[in-house]
Amino acid sequence: MAEKTINCDLVVLGAGGAGLLAAVKAADMSKKKVIVLEKAKKAGGCTWFCGASPSPMRSSGEQLDTRFRQIMKDLWWRVNPRLMRNALEASGPCFDWFSTICDLSDYYPKETLEMLKQMNKGTQSGGQQQVSTPGGTGGQPGGEQSGQQGGQGGSSPMMAMMNQERHINKKSRDPSIGPGKGGSYLVTKMLEQCSKMGIDVLTETRASEFVADAKGNVTGVIAETSDGKIQVNCKACVIAAGGFGANLEKLQKRWPYHYNGNRIHRFSCPTDEGDSLDMAEKIGIYIDYENMNIQVGGPAHHPYSYTIYRMMWQPEGVYVNLNGERWIDETVELEGGYYALGRQPGGEMWMIVDEDLKELLGTRLYENPRKYSASDADKWILKDFREDIAYEVSLDEGGAAGKHTRKADTLEELAKKIGVDQKSFVKTIETYNQYCDNKRDLDFAKKPEYLIPLRKPPFYAFWGQRFAETTHGGIVINENMEVLRDKAQKTVVPGLFAAGDNAGGWVTDVPMPAISPGSWMVSSGYLAGVAAGKYLMKI
């Protein structure tokens, strides 16, 4: 029994990027009372890990059609085509609205902001101008973006912004762990608008149960606070409470091959436990666990130096497992090694380089980040590699806890420091050096141009493990962001909408989603706000 009752027109579950966008947009449209419930002590959720913000990207009809066709082809038409179309088209209108209600001069350099305004004018009058964002995956390291994930490629006015140090956590040596660039900014700006518009954001308020009428339609939400339970009565609801990246039990049940007890770093806020999915199931709403998606990558050096992580992404190093043995062709990069790494002892590995290879990888990383990193925008993140390596070695030699970089004058000594069998490790490196001399890898067929022997001391070992973002999908929605009640996906729950990571229909069980989670966060939050706003204006 709730000890307190609150009435509103719209309740939004979750104060992450999608939830805040939905709340502000709906309130802006409808001028109705909106309340946001947030489980954590502060707003933001997994958006703190996110590099995305409302993008000024504007595609011509032909460009959008091409992008749409490619997405649907890559995913075998297994995502909702109308929903995907709407998500792709939402970027420009969302940016226009965002720039109207928010002063962007504290985010974009003056010249960049003026350029965007001029380009938007040209696009609105039918021109072909296009602006694309070079990054923006939710929580993905450095905001890198593959061709499938939603970038149009090429340079962008966004580059000027990303070249500047805008992370809130200035001391972080791994910007991937947040607070991030665009995500942090978006949350901050939306909270400002909530304050201006009278939108109550109730933190430390965990939504635990839907109140439904005889037809199963949502009329309110029960939430738990430090002062007891409250009931928030509403006319409409947006579910934007995130996935379950912090719920190990659910993760092991859905993806046992990833969560098998071996090491995996989770980019997910502690409150990301899947509460919204449980709440929806309790009132008979179908949850599509089968087509949920989780992005796993690796090997990566999280949560340590970002510079070393990027050095590990280059193909010339040698990967060894905890048995001291090679286990893969090292040219797999970020997206290709995580399945195999998950099968290695402990899910851990070490990348081995000598002094010459260390200098080669580090120097060219900074000189050509577009080729060896995510983009030119990484230059402000990439610190001097010698400084980062020396710092981690000092931590290790000082006895600090953690898997920091290790250094030794001999292979035998390095094997001891990383805790692998000396004979096996030395044999592995000696055999690899022979492959390099002969320009043929007899174990894993690594390309000859990447075969560089390791002979010049000192030798270095960079530790790596897998990483995962939060989960995507679950509550199935139609192209209007309305929640669908049953597995047949034909019955709409009136006044109930979903956005962000807990919303399905835009992902499948393939390794990569249709568009980046960051882009989906922005588009879905905006679209859900539009849909909820229209609904409230009709009733």
Side-chain angles (χ1 to χ4, degrees):
M1 186 73 178
E3 299 178 9
K4 181 180 179 181
T5 299
I6 303 174
N7 297 314
C8 67
D9 295 294
L10 174 68
V11 63
V12 177
L13 307 186
L20 291 174
L21 275 167
V24 174
K25 180 59 181 176
D28 189 39
M29 284 181 61
S30 68
K31 312 305 179 187
K32 300 292 183 71
K33 177 63 177 177
V34 178
I35 292 177
V36 182
L37 307 183
E38 171 55 47
K39 180 180 178 180
K41 292 183 178 180
K42 67 177 183 177
C46 285
T47 304
W48 286 111
F49 297 97
C50 184
S53 61
S55 168
M57 182 180 71
R58 288 183 173 276
S59 297
S60 67
E62 180 181 351
Q63 291 167 333
L64 190 145
D65 289 348
T66 299
R67 178 76 186 123
F68 174 74
R69 284 194 298 267
Q70 189 61 51
I71 286 175
M72 301 310 296
K73 179 182 178 181
D74 289 344
L75 298 181
W76 306 300
W77 285 78
R78 292 176 60 189
V79 295
N80 183 334
R82 291 182 175 84
L83 176 61
M84 188 51 50
R85 186 83 181 182
N86 286 349
L88 291 173
E89 291 178 343
S91 181
C94 179
F95 181 79
D96 286 346
W97 168 75
F98 189 86
S99 60
T100 298
I101 66 170
C102 298
D103 178 10
L104 302 183
S105 62
D106 59 346
Y107 189 60
Y108 292 98
K110 182 178 180 181
E111 62 276 10
T112 301
L113 191 58
E114 184 60 33
M115 186 187 305
L116 290 175
K117 291 178 180 178
Q118 294 301 318
M119 295 185 77
N120 283 347
K121 287 180 181 179
T123 308
Q124 290 169 344
S125 62
Q128 297 294 312
Q129 290 94 334
Q130 176 189 340
V131 182
S132 62
T133 174
T137 63
Q140 188 146 322
E144 66 267 17
Q145 193 167 23
S146 71
Q148 186 181 359
Q149 280 187 278
Q152 297 286 342
S155 62
S156 160
M158 287 284 282
M159 286 289 192
M161 174 274 296
M162 295 184 72
N163 276 328
Q164 302 184 38
E165 190 167 350
R166 296 182 182 275
H167 281 274
I168 294 174
N169 185 0
K170 301 294 185 181
K171 296 181 179 180
S172 173
R173 300 175 68 249
D174 184 355
S176 305
I177 66 175
K181 298 181 284 293
S184 304
Y185 181 80
L186 185 148
V187 168
T188 301
K189 284 297 183 182
M190 289 299 97
L191 288 174
E192 290 176 2
Q193 293 303 312
C194 287
S195 179
K196 290 180 181 179
M197 295 181 182
I199 299 171
D200 294 326
V201 180
L202 307 181
T203 57
E204 296 186 88
T205 304
R206 176 181 176 267
S208 58
E209 183 181 351
F210 284 120
V211 179
D213 61 20
K215 296 181 179 180
N217 299 330
V218 173
T219 61
V221 175
I222 301 296
E224 300 171 3
T225 74
S226 58
D227 296 325
K229 290 185 178 182
I230 63 172
Q231 179 168 326
V232 183
N233 295 325
C234 62
K235 299 174 183 176
C237 174
V238 174
I239 310 173
F244 53 82
N247 191 319
L248 186 57
E249 181 180 351
K250 286 182 180 289
L251 292 170
Q252 289 175 328
K253 183 177 180 180
R254 175 59 184 86
W255 292 284
Y257 43 92
H258 289 320
Y259 295 91
N260 55 7
N262 285 344
R263 290 289 296 260
I264 185 167
H265 183 73
R266 286 185 274 167
F267 286 102
S268 188
C269 57
T271 54
D272 207 31
E273 298 180 303
D275 293 346
S276 62
L277 306 184
D278 296 336
M279 290 170 60
E281 279 191 301
K282 287 180 181 179
I283 61 169
I285 292 174
Y286 168 66
I287 304 298
D288 185 9
Y289 287 101
E290 180 180 350
N291 285 307
M292 292 189 73
N293 171 279
I294 188 167
Q295 288 182 269
V296 180
H301 193 55
H302 300 302
Y304 305 118
S305 164
Y306 178 84
T307 304
I308 293 174
Y309 156 61
R310 285 298 182 183
M311 290 178 68
M312 291 178 65
W313 201 4
Q314 299 181 59
E316 289 88 355
V318 179
Y319 291 175
V320 299
N321 59 23
L322 299 188
N323 293 330
E325 301 169 336
R326 284 181 73 210
W327 50 278
I328 201 169
D329 168 13
E330 293 87 354
T331 63
V332 293
E333 297 184 343
L334 178 69
E335 303 296 344
Y338 61 89
Y339 270 104
L341 180 54
R343 296 194 301 268
Q344 303 310 304
E348 303 176 57
M349 52 77 64
W350 295 89
M351 176 176 169
I352 311 301
V353 300
D354 67 356
E355 179 65 19
D356 286 342
L357 188 54
K358 179 204 75 173
E359 290 295 313
L360 170 66
L361 302 185
T363 300
R364 74 182 184 191
L365 173 64
Y366 187 80
E367 291 178 348
N368 194 354
R370 177 168 291 279
K371 182 176 181 180
Y372 298 106
S373 186
S375 69
D376 292 331
D378 277 344
K379 273 195 173 183
W380 70 268
I381 302 173
L382 300 173
K383 300 179 180 179
D384 183 276
F385 66 96
R386 300 181 190 91
E387 177 185 332
D388 267 19
I389 291 172
Y391 174 70
E392 287 205 6
V393 168
S394 69
L395 290 176
D396 176 63
E397 293 179 348
K403 301 281 188 174
H404 306 290
T405 296
R406 297 176 184 178
K407 174 184 176 182
D409 291 326
T410 67
L411 292 174
E412 290 82 1
E413 182 185 358
L414 188 63
K416 183 178 180 180
K417 285 192 172 185
I418 63 177
V420 302
D421 181 78
Q422 292 186 24
K423 290 184 179 180
S424 175
F425 177 73
V426 172
K427 181 180 179 181
T428 294
I429 301 302
E430 289 178 346
T431 300
Y432 181 81
N433 286 344
Q434 292 175 5
Y435 294 160
C436 295
D437 293 339
N438 297 327
K439 290 299 178 184
R440 188 182 181 194
D441 178 2
L442 298 180
D443 289 329
F444 304 114
K446 187 173 181 177
K447 289 184 178 180
E449 58 264 37
Y450 299 129
L451 293 172
I452 299 178
L454 309 180
R455 292 194 172 103
K456 184 177 180 180
F459 301 96
Y460 301 85
F462 306 139
W463 176 77
Q465 64 173 326
R466 297 169 299 155
F467 67 88
E469 299 181 5
T470 190
T471 63
H472 312 301
I475 300 172
V476 184
I477 56 175
N478 64 14
E479 64 272 21
N480 298 317
M481 315 305 291
E482 298 171 298
V483 172
L484 299 171
R485 190 183 300 278
D486 53 13
K487 189 173 183 179
Q489 300 182 15
K490 293 181 179 180
T491 306
V492 169
V493 183
L496 187 61
F497 309 90
D501 288 330
N502 60 196
W506 65 287
V507 291
T508 71
D509 57 345
V510 299
M512 302 298 287
I515 59 176
S516 75
S519 298
W520 171 252
M521 176 268 292
V522 173
S523 293
S524 67
Y526 174 78
L527 290 172
V530 170
K534 288 181 178 179
Y535 181 84
L536 292 174
M537 292 166 69
K538 289 180 180 179
I539 60 175

